[in-house]
Amino acid sequence: MLALTAQSAFDSVVAATGSRIFHLLVTLPDTEIKCIPFSLKMSKLDQILVLDPPVDLKFKGPFTDVVTTNLKLKNPSDRRVCFKVKTTAPRRYCVRPNSGVIDPGATVIISVMLQPFDYDPNEKSKHKFMVQTIFAPPNVSDMDSLWKDAKPDDLMDSKLRCVFELPSENDKMNDVEATKAAPVMNSAKADPSSASVPVTASLDESEMKKVLEKCKRLQAEMNKLAEENRQLKDEGIRMRKVPRSDHMTSNSTSLLGRESSTASLPSLLVVIAAIFIGFFLGKFIL
């Protein structure tokens, strides 16, 4: 009878307190007071996935352009796990992929893209992300229905906060040096003769001077070759013109010879005719 009374008192307290944890005082026949701890709600399942990073999603500025950070989800279990990524600021982020299924032992990389905004160092970020997971049933096809019909006790979740960081001075210097080195690297790829020039991410002034001097020498050699090519072209044109003039001279000489021979032919005939006439006249006279 006493046990039934204690059990009814326990049930009434459970119905009245919801999910709070407390200590119940029970009076036993020997008037001994004992403390019985219990929880009125089952504890949620621990997150089965391994998150990297586990707590903070760091975004490094400047924030004038899209900033992307990666979140790795690893499934160390022997069961398939469905996941879904949520955020408190859905208009400020793009997440790809934002849901899916991870096979046993597999890893998925989530790209979280922060949209450009005006960053205020004095303003603390209140943005948060939550990775919600559930063990996948044997034949899962409709993910929407799966999440809609999921029981709260079957869900697992992990929360991450967003941290905004501005680049340090060293990072800025590295970015500037990398920007300066990029055109030199492109010119080295375009010109094989300059491939022997050492190009690194950070070129000091002496190496830059050497590269510029080599470029000047190459430019001078190219100009010299262009001048020689032009001279050879002029020489070829001149040589092609010389035989033509010689041929024209020889042709004109032969034409003059022909004309002179043609002009002397009638006088020769006159002389021959005069000789014959004189010979015949002398013969008849004598």
Side-chain angles (χ1 to χ4, degrees):
M1 186 65 181
L2 181 61
L4 293 175
T5 303
Q7 182 63 38
S8 61
F10 175 85
D11 294 337
S12 63
V13 172
V14 168
T17 56
S19 60
R20 299 172 59 188
I21 299 175
F22 65 97
H23 295 79
L24 176 65
L25 297 179
V26 180
T27 304
L28 299 178
D30 55 359
T31 65
E32 181 181 2
I33 303 299
K34 289 187 178 181
C35 183
I36 305 174
F38 66 97
S39 174
L40 302 180
K41 186 177 180 181
M42 293 286 292
S43 61
K44 293 185 65 174
L45 296 175
D46 293 335
Q47 177 64 267
I48 190 63
L49 299 182
V50 178
L51 278 64
D52 181 22
V55 178
D56 295 337
L57 279 177
K58 295 183 179 180
F59 298 88
K60 183 173 291 187
F63 302 102
T64 56
D65 200 356
V66 176
V67 180
T68 303
T69 188
N70 292 329
L71 172 63
K72 294 182 181 180
L73 305 180
K74 183 178 180 181
N75 180 11
S77 68
D78 56 354
R79 299 176 59 183
R80 302 175 72 207
V81 177
C82 300
F83 73 91
K84 181 167 57 174
V85 182
K86 298 181 178 181
T87 180
T88 58
R91 295 184 179 181
R92 300 286 296 275
Y93 298 91
C94 291
V95 181
R96 295 291 182 273
N98 58 2
S99 63
V101 181
I102 306 178
D103 294 327
T107 300
V108 172
I109 298 178
I110 309 297
S111 296
V112 183
M113 291 162 280
L114 172 63
Q115 302 304 304
F117 71 103
D118 295 331
Y119 176 67
D120 185 3
N122 298 323
E123 181 181 357
K124 293 183 179 180
S125 173
K126 298 180 181 180
H127 301 168
K128 292 181 175 61
F129 277 83
M130 182 174 69
V131 179
Q132 203 169 38
T133 58
I134 187 174
F135 286 111
N139 297 319
V140 57
S141 58
D142 190 355
M143 297 294 294
D144 294 335
S145 299
L146 172 67
W147 291 107
K148 183 178 180 180
D149 300 335
K151 298 179 180 179
D153 294 338
D154 296 335
L155 296 176
M156 300 166 281
D157 59 60
S158 297
K159 295 180 180 179
L160 302 95
R161 67 189 185 97
C162 299
V163 178
F164 300 151
E165 296 179 347
L166 286 176
S168 61
E169 293 298 329
N170 292 333
D171 294 337
K172 291 181 180 179
M173 292 297 295
N174 292 335
D175 293 340
V176 171
E177 291 175 353
T179 304
K180 290 182 179 179
V184 179
M185 294 177 68
N186 294 333
S187 62
K189 291 180 181 179
D191 189 359
S193 62
S194 62
S196 60
V197 178
V199 179
T200 60
S202 57
L203 292 175
D204 55 16
E205 294 182 359
S206 60
E207 292 177 345
M208 289 292 292
K209 290 181 179 179
K210 290 180 181 179
V211 172
L212 292 176
E213 290 177 359
K214 191 171 184 69
C215 291
K216 290 181 180 179
R217 288 198 302 269
L218 291 175
Q219 186 66 30
E221 291 179 359
M222 290 178 63
N223 294 336
K224 185 177 180 181
L225 290 174
E227 181 65 23
E228 292 179 355
N229 188 21
R230 188 182 63 80
Q231 292 178 358
L232 289 175
K233 286 183 178 180
D234 295 341
E235 185 68 20
I237 294 172
R238 189 178 63 82
M239 292 297 292
R240 285 196 296 270
K241 289 181 178 180
V242 170
R244 288 184 179 180
S245 61
D246 292 344
H247 182 67
M248 291 177 65
T249 304
S250 61
N251 289 339
S252 61
T253 304
S254 60
L255 289 173
L256 291 173
R258 289 178 183 178
E259 291 178 355
S260 60
S261 60
T262 304
S264 60
L265 182 60
S267 59
L268 182 60
L269 291 177
V270 170
V271 172
I272 293 172
I275 292 173
F276 276 103
I277 292 172
F279 177 74
F280 284 113
L281 287 175
K283 189 175 181 180
F284 284 111
I285 294 172
L286 294 175

